[in-house]
Amino acid sequence: MIPGGGQPNMQQLLQQAQKMQQDLAKAQEELAHMEVDGKAGGGLVTATVTGGGELRSLEIDPKAVDPEDTETLADLIVAAVQAANENAQTLQQQKLGPLAQGLGGGIPGLPF
């Protein structure tokens, strides 16, 4: 209900919703092209993911490779990918959070 007893202007509401949808689509497209890193083992392993969480690259310092201890290397890789994904989620919140708040709260399917 509109303060003062007036009726909502449906055309205006539809235009606002359409603009928010366009802004959201643009922000999601930008996120798909942005990249963030996550590091583990003091930088021995670096994972790069897109703002959408897609793994793009993995760099492993030769010092991290011990044929006798592949478990530690695997743990470093997992930690680096997790760190990169956490950074991607932070980026998503920065880019999409204001848009979600404009829609009256969280958007279903988004992690915030």
Side-chain angles (χ1 to χ4, degrees), residues 1-13:
M1 187 175 242
I2 303 294
Q7 293 295 323
N9 180 336
M10 278 310 256
Q11 184 65 26
Q12 186 178 11
L13 289 174

Side-chain angles (χ1 to χ4, degrees), residues 15-78:
Q15 287 174 346
Q16 287 176 337
Q18 186 177 27
K19 177 162 180 6
M20 291 175 107
Q21 186 178 21
Q22 290 169 347
D23 290 347
L24 181 60
K26 180 181 176 191
Q28 288 173 324
E29 179 68 24
E30 289 173 2
L31 280 170
H33 296 289
M34 298 175 94
E35 293 184 348
V36 292
D37 291 335
K39 297 181 184 278
L44 290 175
V45 176
T46 302
T48 302
V49 300
T50 66
E54 179 185 342
L55 182 63
R56 286 288 173 96
S57 71
L58 190 62
E59 295 177 27
I60 302 171
D61 187 305
K63 293 180 219 160
V65 180
D66 178 359
E68 301 297 318
D69 184 16
T70 57
E71 287 180 29
T72 298
L73 178 57
D75 290 342
L76 290 174
I77 292 169
V78 169

